[in-house]
Amino acid sequence: MRIEGFELRRVGMPLVSPFRTSFGTETERDILLVRAVTDTADGWGECVAGADPLYSSEYVDGSADVMRRFLIPALERVGTAAEVGEALKPFKGHRMAKGALEMAVLDAELRAAGRSLASELGSTRDTVPCGVSVGIMDSVPELLDAVGRYLAEGYVRIKLKIEPGWDVDVVRAVREAFGDDILLQVDANTAYTVADADHLARLDEFGLLLIEQPLDEEDVLGHADLAKVVRTPICLDESITSADAAVAAIRLAATSVINIKPGRVGGYLEARRVHDVAVAAGVPVWCGGMVESGIGRAANIALASLPGFTLPGDVSASARFYETDITEPFVMRDGHLDVPAGPGIGVAPIPDILDELTTSREWISV
Ligand code: NPG
């Protein structure tokens, strides 16, 4: 395969409701899509960097810049998706940008070969269970209302975003309203310090599946210390930037569950390696979400169908975030989504909708 170049497309996708986390509130997603044009087929990738560097150091203008100036030119002699990671290795960081380019090349390669991403990654299921991530709200009644609606829609697992001042009482209210049987977990997005260990241990009485990333991204040892105080399993997200980072965190007993987000680790091929090292260590994984459009959502569903993904992921229907998706929408049935079976990621943008939501486009030859 010869890569001719990439189209960078920015799309502005309004969210159905504001999504608040401990690091900010989003009302619209500014998504960078990349289309790889090759001599055999085109392929799509989605960069999950946010508009601002608040979840991680990456941000979407920075991703576009590094792709344009460094990453895309380095792909001149690359002929397969498996070579992309190696070709981009000299450039430090920027995993979300690298992951998007690799995804587009992988999609093109698989489309040309008529193979699905799911089968390429090692999928063992046709459907995946859907979890939903519920943002911080202005009041507890408002939150209970939202949780009630998601449960009625069929979501099989609820994740509550937490931060200091919106944690123990909120979890208690959800347990009191919906009982002990619902699968429930919390996500702090690094909002606490190890000095909060005793406070976080108060969550133990609620039978949570896990506490996700309570401490700073770089505080892996802090998580190991915290895990000795808190009985609820600690799950790392932001800290797990590669399969090597996963191995280290597991060995340090800083994490007993792992959230795998392909963008955060530099792509779907590294995401599979994280899956593999976790499975080898007996550590369950689940697929995270970054409020993706149908492009990234399709690929996440494929990844979530690998055998080590034994917990429901942040894999929700398109309608959870978007009234109009840029692909055919993903619709949940009985709390599950079908794994796309077509070539590559199995979906493509609908041209008219894509054009309508596009805010800028740019062509870059390799
Ligand atoms: O279902 O796509 C989804 C969203 C899940 O809560 C979710 N994602 O910290 O995991 C996270 C959070 C996030 C969203 C992080 C957007 C960064 C950007």
Side-chain angles (χ1 to χ4, degrees):
M1 183 171 70
R2 199 175 58 76
I3 304 171
E4 287 163 14
F6 292 83
E7 181 185 38
L8 307 192
R9 277 243 191 192
R10 291 281 279 274
V11 292
M13 295 182 63
L15 302 184
V16 289
S17 55
F19 185 49
R20 178 171 158 203
T21 64
S22 63
F23 60 84
T25 304
E26 268 193 310
T27 55
E28 177 173 306
R29 197 85 173 126
D30 176 1
I31 296 178
L32 169 59
L33 296 176
V34 298
R35 180 168 61 95
V37 175
T38 78
D39 58 345
T40 50
D42 289 4
W44 288 94
E46 177 166 342
C47 178
V48 297
D52 306 308
L54 297 175
Y55 165 82
S56 74
S57 63
E58 295 188 76
Y59 63 103
V60 67
D61 283 336
S63 302
D65 186 67
V66 77
M67 284 182 188
R68 190 185 291 128
R69 293 173 57 189
F70 302 103
L71 305 183
I72 292 176
L75 297 178
E76 199 187 338
R77 271 179 288 278
V78 162
T80 65
E83 293 165 23
V84 170
E86 205 51 38
L88 300 183
K89 215 174 188 168
F91 305 103
K92 308 292 186 200
H94 297 286
R95 291 183 171 88
M96 293 174 181
K98 292 174 176 175
L101 294 174
E102 183 194 77
M103 176 183 171
V105 175
L106 183 57
D107 184 38
E109 183 176 303
L110 293 171
R111 279 180 202 266
R115 291 206 325 273
S116 72
L117 176 65
S119 65
E120 168 70 14
L121 292 175
S123 166
T124 52
R125 277 172 287 175
D126 297 334
T127 67
V128 297
C130 301
V132 63
S133 173
V134 189
I136 295 165
M137 304 214 167
D138 290 336
S139 70
V140 171
E142 200 184 326
L143 176 79
L144 296 180
D145 217 56
V147 171
R149 265 185 289 114
Y150 291 130
L151 290 172
E153 285 174 28
Y155 283 100
V156 303
R157 185 227 67 192
I158 300 290
K159 158 167 142 178
L160 302 176
K161 291 292 194 178
I162 59 166
E163 66 182 3
W166 183 266
D167 48 31
V168 177
D169 295 342
V170 172
V171 172
R172 177 179 296 111
V174 170
R175 275 291 185 225
E176 281 172 5
F178 302 105
D180 292 336
D181 290 343
I182 62 163
L183 300 182
L184 188 63
Q185 63 192 54
V186 295
D187 182 6
N189 288 113
T190 76
Y192 297 85
T193 71
V194 84
D196 297 310
D198 290 337
H199 178 72
L200 290 169
R202 292 177 57 205
L203 291 168
D204 284 344
E205 65 175 289
F206 302 111
L208 301 177
L209 290 169
L210 55 92
I211 304 177
E212 187 180 351
Q213 196 74 41
L215 314 180
D216 190 74
E217 172 181 336
E218 294 179 8
D219 195 5
V220 175
L221 279 180
H223 284 98
D225 290 343
L226 185 66
K228 294 183 190 130
V229 180
V230 174
R231 268 187 293 114
T232 309
I234 305 288
C235 169
L236 291 181
D237 169 11
E238 284 89 332
S239 299
I240 305 297
T241 51
S242 64
D244 284 349
V247 169
I250 293 168
R251 194 183 301 172
L252 287 167
T255 197
S256 48
V257 183
I258 292 179
N259 166 337
I260 302 185
K261 285 179 181 164
R264 197 194 62 223
V265 301
Y268 286 84
L269 301 181
E270 184 71 5
R272 179 173 55 187
R273 289 189 278 272
V274 178
H275 164 271
D276 293 349
V277 299
V279 168
V283 168
V285 303
W286 55 281
C287 184
M290 296 286 280
V291 194
E292 286 89 348
S293 75
I295 296 293
R297 197 165 297 275
N300 285 352
I301 297 167
L303 179 70
S305 69
L306 269 62
F309 286 77
T310 52
L311 290 167
D314 285 341
V315 179
S316 40
S318 297
R320 156 67 183 92
F321 291 109
Y322 301 113
E323 202 169 290
T324 308
D325 206 335
I326 54 169
T327 60
E328 289 300 331
F330 283 93
V331 179
M332 184 168 64
R333 272 187 297 116
D334 291 333
H336 288 68
L337 287 171
D338 290 337
V339 178
I345 62 171
V347 300
I350 298 165
D352 288 350
I353 299 179
L354 179 65
D355 285 343
E356 207 173 295
L357 297 176
T358 295
T359 53
S360 73
R361 50 198 293 195
E362 175 181 357
W363 171 256
I364 303 169
S365 305
V366 299

